Every structure is written in structure tokens, then in C-alpha cells.
Amino acid sequence: MLNVADHCSCSAEAQTSHVEMRVTHPLQPLTPREIGEAVRIVQAASPFGGDTRFETIELLEPEKSVARAFKVGDPIARKARVNVFSAKAVGVTRMTVSLDEGTILSTQEFPGKRPMIQLEQFIPIEDIVRAHPDFIAACAKRGITQMSNVCIDPWSAGEFGIEDEQGRHLAHVFAWLRLYENENFYAHPIEGLNAVLDLNTQEVIRIDDYGITPIPMQQANYEHQLVNTTRAPLKPINITQPEGVSFAIEGRRLTWDKWSMVVGFNAREALTFHDIRYDDRPIVFRASLVEMVVPYGSPDKGHFRKHVFDIGEYGIGKLANSLKLGCDCLGSIEYLDVHMNTMDGSIMTIEKAICIHEEDAGLLWKHTDFRTERTEVRRARKLVVSTVCTVGNYEYGLYWYFHLDGMIEFEMKATGIINTVACIPGKPGKYGREVLPGVVGQIHQHIFCARLDMTVDGDANSVVECNTYSEPEGADNPYGNAFYEEERVLKRESEAARRANPQTHRYWKVINPSKHNHVGTPVAYKLEPLHTVTPYVLPNSPSGKRAGFVQNHLWVSAFHPEERFPAGEYVNRSDGTGGIADFVAQDRPIENADVVLWHVFGLHHPVRAEDFPVQPCVVTGFKLMPSGFFNGNPAIDLPPEVNATSCPANASKA
């Protein structure tokens, strides 16, 4: 029972937080010991000598048959994917490593590819740019003499065919001025001044100075000690579960009510989910957010380059927060630490990066028989698995919800600080909106792609598109009220690159043609597209080619273990090849097959004044809902309960 009472939030933290994790399931992420072993094996081969740097080390997931055949106590063979690169040359080397045998199983060279920009490079980039004499001189022209007050954000550079950038591993930077310690520097953009940095040579190859715009100096702070407020505090809402939580976790296998799954995490995707089941019936074999691109709408000055892939070019997992009890997570919380590698191969641990808890979710179902006045009511609750990542100025909260009625829901909560640009006060220009005198937030979008490896009661699935139409006026519709839903099986990949259509309330179902419910129709799960966006970056433009996946809201591909990312495996300065468009160009059959859904959704963001100095959470996401998967309401057997701590508020005053 979830109780609301006047008690402090309590923690049900994992007992393994500070000890070496045991490997208890073949799909759980690599442990610190295993990451260290992968590093040792690769360093022994010394692909680039002392210049060897590690991009990502992650579990090489076993074949589905191996994972499904696993039983507690079985031996577990473990392998790792390892991406390494040279600190002095462009290129990436991909290795697969047997952790049990201590050997490198395969090596593949990608000489023209770039690794992701690494977290450890952020501060050195700032130091290098601030020390460059041309950048110092450009700041001096703007009245800035204290270079330690200049704040630099490194952005991926994209690929625009610029001559002096060819053959390099680059970052492109924007700058702001901080007036004093902890002050919100995004209120003071240094407009028109950018630098392009070679990450291998650590040299500034170019300073781009587009001309001086006065730096806006009005403050807009958000830290509590800098904000004057007379607002009365609200009375606390305390969530307690005096009998403990209803979920359990062993290693990384999580169970709750009729749900079970393995919770994963890696540096690129952050949260991953494996072997998701309800009442031991498989629904999704693997689910995660696999790409995220943020295109900005301004062609002015250096802003045309703002088209960043926060997952493929940075790796959102490394940017996860260490969550705070009672603030980020409320109630009885189970936290999981996550472990990744740094560039030099040492272990990076983010404590309490994953939050697991239950939430009340309002009414689940209710009915009153008006003849007898007998009422049955059940309250909903959901299991929440979340992580929050800070990507420069923005925070992204990744929330996965598992509901009692068999629904899976993903919600992205976007908050943080908008990217800011300076203008002449009152003249924000065509591509943005003034949020503070002289400070502009440019129109932009946040476009996400989820990869859903479906297994609805087994791997042999088909995808059905559903549209609703009005019956034409005539003999079949004499009263003008007739409308119906039409279903069409998508049989090949070429048929399954689809866009949402609100006029027909389009959605898609994943069915298992060989499994039927009690009315004889195939069991199914429905993908409900809640927040699709229209892309505005032209598809044949330099940035549009690299983000071709945004052109459809649904792609369906035949499963292949190496087809993992919709914008390609190596996105940094990519040319747009190697992604979902190339996967489906094979035009493989997808009827009664092992299929993967790629769902594209997001936020269209014409900035508001209310989005500054910190943007309130805006949300986007999707739902996977049972649609004939069960023989009726799966929560009909939920026992009734009455919350004993609910009480009259006595807020009314005579």
C-alpha cells in the first residue's frame, strides 16, 4: 500500500552499492571488474601504444536463444564490445573481447570515423580556447579582460565541407560571460564569437568572429541563494510505504507485480531494458532510447552548426546525474550505481544514477451500478525506473513506467537552461524569441528515437497499421455516423517507413499471428504515437542527411544484432550513411518475423519567456499498450484496498 503520511522519505538502497557486483544474468551490464579486465586485454595488444584511448566499453549481448535458455545457477559467458581510438589520429577501432578467455576475438578498423566527444575533454577544451591569443583579443574588443569569467560550451562540429576542417576530429564552441561565482552565465551570451578546435592536436584551428553584439548584462539567476523570494513554502507531501516496497531486485533483474525485466545501462544509451515480461509472457526483448538530435532553426553566424546528436556524438550515459533522495526521487527508493570507462581505461562510477520506485497513478478502473449503487474501484500505481542526464545546458529525465494493466510508457522530461544568443534589445530577429532584454532563445526541436526489439509472445511477429475512416456518404452510411478502423499488415521494410496521421488516428500494432486470444484474434501490443514532430531541417542539407531517421515516425526493420543506431554507429562528423535508411534499404520481409520498431518522437520548441532562467519540465514520449494481448482487463483480479492514511484536508474556511 502506498501511504501519504507525515514521515520522512526513506531509502531502500541496494545492498551492493559499494561492493563488487556478482554476474547473475547474461544480460546485466558489465561490472567494474569486467570493465577493468577488458581494458587489460586491450592494453596488452596496445593498438595505438601510449596514445590508446577508450571510447566505450559495454556488454556484447549474447544471442537471444542463449539469454532465454539461461537458468539461475548456469555458467555465464561474458564478452565485451570495446571502441578505442588514437589520441593523435582520426579513426576508431572496434574490438570484441572474451572476458572468460582473456582474448581479443575480433578487430575492425574504421579509419575515417570519429569517436564520441568525451566527458573528460569538456574542461580542457574550455582551457585551450580561453588561452588562445586571438580569442583573448576578440574578448578584449567586447570589453572582457578576465578570461576566467568566460564559459565555453563544446559542441560537435557537424560536417559542412569546410576546407580547413577536413580530416580532423573537431569541436565547435560557443561562449558566455559569468559575472561572479555561481551566477547564471547563460544570461550573458558572447554573441558572434566561436572557435573550432582540433581534439587530437589540441589546437585552435580557427576563431570565427562575426562582429560585436553588446553582451546583455541583466542577471537572471536560479540558485536559491541568489533568488529573492517571498513565496510561502508549501506544506510537505510525504510518501511512505510502511510495509516496504512491492518490487524486488536481484543483481539487475527487477520484478514487480506481474512484471519482470533486466535493467541495463551503458555510456551511449544510458538506461536499457532487456527481456521485458508480463506474467512471464515476453513483450519486448530490448528497449532503449538510441538517438536524440537537437536541430536549431537559425542560419545566422555560427548557429547553423547547432544540430547536435546528444546520444551518438556525446553518449548520454556518461552524463547521468548522481540522484538525491527526497529531491530527484521521492518516497521509498532503490538506487543503482552505474559503471563505465574513462578515456584512459579507469573505472567511472556514478552512484545512484538509476532510481527505482513506485508511484500512485490515480484511478485504474471504477464502476458504480446505478441500480444497486454498489461500487468497485481500484487505484493504479506504476513502477518507475529513471535516470537524469545533464547535456551541457539541458537536463533530460528518462522515465520508463510499467503499469498494472500491462502498459509500458516512456516519458522524456526536458528541463535545464535554454541555449541563449545575444541581440539588440527588442530586435530578436526571425529565428528566436527574446526571453530577457538582449537575450534570445532560438526556435529548435528535440527529436528522439526509441528502439523496441519486439517479442510479443515470441519472435515471430508482424506489424499492422491501423487507420480510422468515415464511411462514404450513401447507402452504407444513411445517417452519416458510420466510421470504422482498417488494418493493413506491413509486409516488407520498404512498406514500413511511416509517418503519423492525426486525421486517421494512425497507430501501429505488433501482433503474433500464431497466438490468439479468447475471441480468436492475434495477441498484440499497440504503439501509440503521442508526440510526433514535423522536421524542418531540409533532408538534403548537410545536417539533414546526417539525421535522416527523423523523416519518418516509424521504421520497422528485420532484427540484426549489429543494426543498433538510427543515425549510424559512428555519428560524430558522419556523412549520414550506416543508419536506419540503409538498414531498411535491404527491403527484408517483416511479416511473421523477428522485428524491431524504431519510433521517432519529440518536442517542437518555439521558446517562451517562461523557459528562462530555467525551463519548467516539458514532456514527450509514447505508450506501448496491450491490444488483445489479454483475455480482458488484466487488472480485474487486483484486490480492493482503502488507503488508511487519507484524511479530510479541512481546507475550507467559513
Side-chain angles (χ1 to χ4, degrees), residues 79-107:
K79 298 176 184 177
R81 295 178 184 264
V82 182
N83 274 346
V84 295
F85 62 98
S86 169
K88 294 183 178 178
V90 169
V92 180
T93 297
R94 179 195 301 169
M95 298 178 172
T96 58
V97 173
S98 169
L99 299 174
D100 304 310
E101 299 172 5
T103 59
I104 296 173
L105 301 175
S106 67
T107 299

Side-chain angles (χ1 to χ4, degrees), residues 176-346:
W176 290 263
L177 179 66
R178 172 166 269 159
L179 302 184
Y180 53 85
E181 187 178 13
N182 299 326
E183 192 257 351
N184 178 18
F185 60 85
Y186 289 110
H188 318 296
I190 305 173
E191 177 58 22
L193 181 59
N194 309 97
V196 182
L197 179 83
D198 188 310
L199 293 172
N200 289 333
T201 63
Q202 296 197 336
E203 64 175 321
V204 174
I205 66 169
R206 196 176 70 249
I207 300 294
D208 293 332
D209 191 338
Y210 296 94
I212 297 173
T213 300
I215 299 172
M217 299 302 285
Q218 181 174 331
Q219 296 182 41
N221 288 305
Y222 59 90
E223 290 206 16
H224 68 93
Q225 71 272 20
L226 302 177
V227 177
N228 295 319
T229 178
T230 57
R231 189 170 185 161
L234 300 173
K235 292 181 172 61
I237 297 175
N238 296 315
I239 310 299
T240 67
Q241 294 181 261
E243 298 178 21
V245 297
S246 298
F247 59 87
I249 187 161
E250 181 180 357
R252 285 295 191 263
R253 186 172 183 271
L254 174 63
T255 56
W256 176 73
D257 188 52
K258 296 183 178 183
W259 287 102
S260 67
M261 68 205 72
V262 175
V263 181
F265 196 97
N266 62 60
R268 183 161 178 168
E269 301 163 272
L271 276 171
T272 60
F273 293 87
H274 309 260
D275 197 19
I276 301 173
R277 294 170 174 260
Y278 187 98
D279 207 13
D280 206 33
R281 295 173 65 186
I283 301 167
V284 186
F285 187 76
R286 193 183 194 278
S288 69
L289 194 71
V290 285
E291 197 50 88
M292 163 185 172
V293 65
V294 187
Y296 283 75
S298 174
D300 297 336
K301 303 176 183 177
H303 302 297
F304 71 92
R305 304 187 80 135
K306 293 196 297 198
H307 193 268
V308 62
F309 297 77
D310 288 330
I311 291 178
E313 292 182 321
Y314 290 94
I316 200 170
K318 262 195 173 181
L319 306 177
N321 295 180
S322 181
L323 301 173
K324 185 172 177 60
L325 186 67
C327 296
D328 297 297
C329 306
L330 186 65
S332 296
I333 308 300
E334 181 87 7
Y335 288 110
L336 299 178
D337 301 343
V338 299
H339 312 282
M340 293 163 285
N341 62 282
T342 62
M343 284 174 59
D344 66 6
S346 57

Side-chain angles (χ1 to χ4, degrees), residues 472-621:
E473 188 175 2
D476 290 336
N477 191 13
Y479 307 105
N481 68 307
F483 57 98
Y484 62 97
E485 187 174 79
E486 183 176 270
E487 298 186 352
R488 178 171 71 95
V489 176
L490 305 175
K491 297 186 177 184
R492 304 192 70 86
E493 290 173 321
S494 59
E495 298 177 47
R498 306 295 294 159
R499 298 193 67 136
N501 184 353
Q503 283 73 38
T504 64
H505 292 275
R506 180 175 294 164
Y507 66 90
W508 300 276
K509 291 193 302 186
V510 180
I511 68 171
N512 187 322
S514 64
K515 303 287 180 68
H516 295 81
N517 54 35
H518 67 167
V519 295
T521 57
V523 297
Y525 254 76
K526 165 186 175 180
L527 172 63
E528 185 169 355
L530 301 175
H531 296 100
T532 55
V533 294
T534 300
Y536 289 95
V537 174
L538 299 179
N540 290 323
S541 68
S543 294
K545 290 177 182 177
R546 300 181 62 227
F549 71 93
V550 306
Q551 297 303 320
N552 288 300
H553 301 127
L554 178 77
W555 306 78
V556 183
S557 66
F559 171 78
H560 189 288
E562 295 302 317
E563 295 177 355
R564 305 196 299 157
F565 301 110
E569 192 81 24
Y570 302 105
V571 182
N572 195 0
R573 301 206 68 202
S574 63
D575 61 5
T577 60
I580 183 62
D582 289 335
F583 303 161
V584 302
Q586 300 170 78
D587 201 21
R588 294 165 291 194
I590 53 171
E591 185 178 15
N592 207 15
D594 189 355
V595 298
V596 178
L597 304 190
W598 309 74
H599 178 43
V600 179
F601 60 99
L603 297 164
H604 180 72
H605 194 179
V607 175
R608 312 169 299 157
E610 290 84 354
D611 293 330
F612 198 69
V614 174
Q615 173 184 303
C617 277
V618 291
V619 300
T620 183

Side-chain angles (χ1 to χ4, degrees), residues 97-148:
V97 173
S98 169
L99 299 174
D100 304 310
E101 299 172 5
T103 59
I104 296 173
L105 301 175
S106 67
T107 299
Q108 191 171 3
E109 306 284 346
F110 297 92
K113 305 299 184 182
R114 277 85 169 171
M116 295 185 291
I117 297 175
Q118 300 294 302
L119 174 64
E120 303 96 298
Q121 295 174 315
F122 288 7
I123 297 303
I125 288 171
E126 184 169 62
D127 292 339
I128 291 166
V129 173
R130 288 195 302 202
H132 194 274
D134 292 346
F135 191 81
I136 293 171
C139 287
K141 289 194 300 183
R142 291 162 167 84
I144 302 169
T145 57
Q146 187 63 43
M147 293 305 295
S148 61

